């Protein structure tokens, strides 16, 4: 099969022919329809997050099941089903998975995110000469990929397979931030700092949960206009306005109940914290580059009882089917979030544009192109 392989961050992605993977116990093989393009991949491509090479990236996919491995008797998964695969692939057996905390699955972080392996300690990807190739989540930037059954949910027949690829990360992470991280309550006010693929979904989920005011904060007017179309009630351009002053004016001098930070940069952390009311919650979602840190004003956080609640993904087994249902029923407009489509051979170009901030919403690799 063809796959976009990263061998050297200085060179970037290159399309190669590698072996088609085979599913093992509790896994399925899908023929990939599309794979979303996320900032997390970008950090690996740029060498800012350490990961083994050679590797195949891509961690939010849709496709058709073409082979079901052993141990799937009770999953309901069958050849021919159209499915979405989530980036956070719970092992289903560790202490955290037993508690329902898929987002904290220890083997996922220890084995997949650090070593590019699945839970028997081996990758499923190999070169034509037998060379070991690491997989970032399922390694979705390829014509086929193996996914643990714990991380797969069936799509509604009416859904767009290509645009639906963003459901397994951008939409799932947005839902997790609102439902699990913030535990957003009806009538609360929110700010969303950075309105890309994840931020766009946070806006929509917050609207569905009954947020009274949704303030989108970004550096580009076209992104802010798109945010309004998705449900933002107010917008702030951080390059031309003082974020704190603007947000406090919109909220009658109080600040927001919840501020979501969706990019993982020190300056966006500062903006999110500046938006908060006394007793407010800041929910950071964006991953930083490597060991990057952000400053927190200690006295304000302590004296004003403000909380910082990290949110990584969601609880895949519970939340991915819910996200798919929300999308099928129109509560998440996943189609309009996808603004660019690239063929597999142009994946590197797409990530270059993403790094330059030139992708509004989400771009995807469409395997039919």
């Amino acid at each position: 099969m063809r796959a976009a392989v990263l061998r050297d961050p200085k060179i970037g992605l290159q399309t190669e022919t590698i072996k088609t993977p085979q599913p093992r116990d509790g896994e399925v093989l899908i023929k990939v329809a599309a794979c979303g393009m996320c900032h997390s991949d970008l950090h690996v491509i740029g060498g800012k997050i350490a990961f083994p090479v050679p590797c195949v990236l891509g961690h939010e996919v849709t496709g058709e099941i073409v082979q079901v491995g052993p141990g799937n008797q009770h999953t309901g998964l069958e050849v021919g089903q159209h499915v979405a695969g989530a980036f956070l692939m719970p092992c289903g057996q560790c202490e955290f998975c037993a508690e329902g905390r898929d987002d904290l699955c220890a083997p996922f972080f220890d084995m997949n995110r650090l070593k590019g392996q699945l839970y028997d300690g081996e990758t499923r990807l190999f070169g034509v000469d037998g060379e070991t190739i690491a997989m970032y989540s399922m390694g979705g930037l390829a014509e086929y990929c193996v996914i643990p059954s714990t991380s797969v949910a069936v799509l509604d027949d009416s859904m767009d397979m290509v645009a639906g690829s963003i459901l397994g990360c951008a939409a799932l992470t947005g839902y997790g931030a609102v439902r699990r991280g913030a535990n957003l309550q009806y009538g609360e006010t929110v700010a969303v700092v950075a309105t890309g693929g994840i931020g766009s979904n946070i806006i929509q989920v917050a609207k569905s949960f009954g947020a009274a005011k949704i303030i989108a904060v970004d550096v580009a007017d076209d992104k802010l206009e798109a945010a309004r179309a998705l449900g933002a009630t107010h917008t702030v351009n951080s390059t031309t306005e003082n974020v704190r002053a603007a947000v406090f004016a919109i909220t009658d001098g109080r600040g927001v109940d919840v501020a979501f930070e969706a990019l993982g940069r020190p300056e966006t952390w500062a903006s999110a914290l500046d938006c908060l009311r006394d007793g407010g919650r800041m929910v950071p979602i964006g991953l930083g580059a490597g060991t990057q840190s952000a400053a927190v004003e200690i006295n304000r956080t302590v004296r004003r009882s403000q909380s910082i609640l990290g949110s990584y993904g969601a609880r895949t087994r519970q939340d991915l089917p819910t996200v798919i249902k929300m999308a099928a029923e129109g509560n998440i407009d996943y189609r309009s979030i996808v603004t660019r489509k690239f063929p597999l051979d142009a994946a590197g170009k797409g990530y270059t544009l993403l790094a330059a901030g030139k992708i509004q919403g989400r771009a995807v690799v469409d395997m039919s192109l």
Side-chain angles (χ1 to χ4, degrees), residues 80-82 154-161 328:
Q81 289 175 327
H82 291 176
V154 178
L155 293 171
D156 187 275
D157 289 341
S158 65
M159 297 183 72
D160 181 333
M161 283 269 281

Side-chain angles (χ1 to χ4, degrees), residues 293-349:
S293 61
V296 177
E297 186 179 328
I298 296 173
N299 287 353
R300 185 170 77 184
T301 303
V302 173
R303 288 172 173 166
R304 309 324 301 162
S305 297
Q306 295 175 338
S307 303
I308 299 174
L309 304 163
S311 179
Y312 186 70
R315 302 182 185 183
T316 302
R317 291 170 292 175
Q318 297 177 53
D319 296 341
L320 182 58
T322 300
V323 167
I324 290 172
K325 183 178 180 181
M326 291 180 72
E329 294 177 350
N331 293 308
I332 295 176
D333 181 6
Y334 64 100
R335 290 180 176 87
S336 67
I337 292 176
V338 175
T339 60
R340 297 289 298 272
K341 299 175 183 178
F342 296 91
L344 182 62
D345 291 339
K349 175 184 176 182

Side-chain angles (χ1 to χ4, degrees), residues 240-292:
T240 59
E241 301 176 76
N242 180 288
V243 173
R244 181 176 175 84
V247 168
F248 272 67
I250 293 167
T251 55
D252 302 318
R254 296 174 70 248
V256 295
D257 296 297
V258 183
F260 298 95
E261 189 285 324
L263 192 57
R265 294 181 179 175
E267 59 268 31
T268 46
W269 264 66
S271 292
L273 289 168
D274 282 345
C275 292
L276 286 184
R277 60 166 293 186
D278 291 353
R281 292 107 68 199
M282 195 277 261
V283 181
I285 306 107
L287 290 177
T291 58
Q292 191 173 33

Side-chain angles (χ1 to χ4, degrees), residues 1-360:
M1 70 173 184
R2 293 188 310 133
V5 180
L6 177 70
R7 293 185 174 277
D8 185 341
K10 295 179 181 178
I11 297 174
L13 300 179
Q14 294 180 303
T15 305
E16 299 181 13
T17 297
I18 66 174
K19 290 184 177 180
T20 301
Q22 296 298 307
R24 299 181 187 176
D25 192 70
E27 301 169 355
V28 295
L29 175 68
I30 74 165
K31 182 179 181 182
V32 177
C35 180
M37 306 174 75
C38 178
H39 272 90
S40 299
D41 293 326
L42 194 61
H43 290 323
V44 178
I45 293 170
K48 296 179 180 178
I49 288 182
F51 194 74
V53 291
C55 65
V56 175
L57 303 167
H59 58 265
E60 53 179 18
V61 300
T62 48
E64 178 181 341
I65 295 178
V66 293
Q67 188 176 343
V68 175
N72 277 291
Q73 294 87 341
H74 305 293
T75 63
L77 299 176
E78 301 175 353
V79 170
Q81 289 175 327
H82 291 176
V83 297
F87 83 97
L88 206 164
M89 307 185 306
C91 73
Q93 298 179 25
C94 70
E95 177 183 359
F96 290 114
C97 285
E99 295 172 356
R101 291 302 305 268
D102 294 2
D103 54 319
L104 296 177
C105 174
F108 173 75
F109 289 98
D110 295 343
M111 301 179 75
N112 185 266
R113 274 297 181 265
L114 294 180
K115 301 177 182 178
Q117 302 169 345
L118 288 184
Y119 307 134
D120 58 357
E122 296 182 7
T123 182
R124 302 294 180 267
L125 298 179
F126 300 93
V128 292
D129 59 355
E131 175 190 30
T132 297
I133 299 175
M135 48 196 298
Y136 193 73
S137 287
M138 72 287 290
L141 288 173
E143 293 178 319
Y144 294 87
C145 69
V146 164
I147 313 178
S149 302
T150 55
S151 186
V152 172
V154 178
L155 293 171
D156 187 275
D157 289 341
S158 65
M159 297 183 72
D160 181 333
M161 283 269 281
V162 174
S165 62
I166 71 163
L167 297 176
C169 178
L172 183 69
T173 300
Y175 178 87
V178 176
R179 170 68 179 84
R180 306 293 181 180
N183 189 23
L184 186 70
Q185 302 298 302
Y186 184 90
E188 288 190 310
T189 56
V190 306
V192 182
V193 181
T195 61
I198 293 173
S200 295
N201 282 285
I202 291 172
I203 289 168
Q204 297 188 83
V205 177
K207 178 182 177 182
S208 294
F209 275 53
K213 292 180 180 179
I214 303 172
I215 306 168
V217 181
D218 210 298
V219 298
D221 287 334
D222 61 335
K223 293 182 179 180
L224 293 172
E225 183 179 348
R228 277 193 179 273
L230 293 171
T233 59
H234 301 78
T235 60
V236 176
N237 187 319
S238 59
T239 65
T240 59
E241 301 176 76
N242 180 288
V243 173
R244 181 176 175 84
V247 168
F248 272 67
I250 293 167
T251 55
D252 302 318
R254 296 174 70 248
V256 295
D257 296 297
V258 183
F260 298 95
E261 189 285 324
L263 192 57
R265 294 181 179 175
E267 59 268 31
T268 46
W269 264 66
S271 292
L273 289 168
D274 282 345
C275 292
L276 286 184
R277 60 166 293 186
D278 291 353
R281 292 107 68 199
M282 195 277 261
V283 181
I285 306 107
L287 290 177
T291 58
Q292 191 173 33
S293 61
V296 177
E297 186 179 328
I298 296 173
N299 287 353
R300 185 170 77 184
T301 303
V302 173
R303 288 172 173 166
R304 309 324 301 162
S305 297
Q306 295 175 338
S307 303
I308 299 174
L309 304 163
S311 179
Y312 186 70
R315 302 182 185 183
T316 302
R317 291 170 292 175
Q318 297 177 53
D319 296 341
L320 182 58
T322 300
V323 167
I324 290 172
K325 183 178 180 181
M326 291 180 72
E329 294 177 350
N331 293 308
I332 295 176
D333 181 6
Y334 64 100
R335 290 180 176 87
S336 67
I337 292 176
V338 175
T339 60
R340 297 289 298 272
K341 299 175 183 178
F342 296 91
L344 182 62
D345 291 339
K349 175 184 176 182
Y351 281 108
T352 297
L353 293 172
L354 181 63
K358 295 182 179 180
I359 299 293
Q360 176 185 306

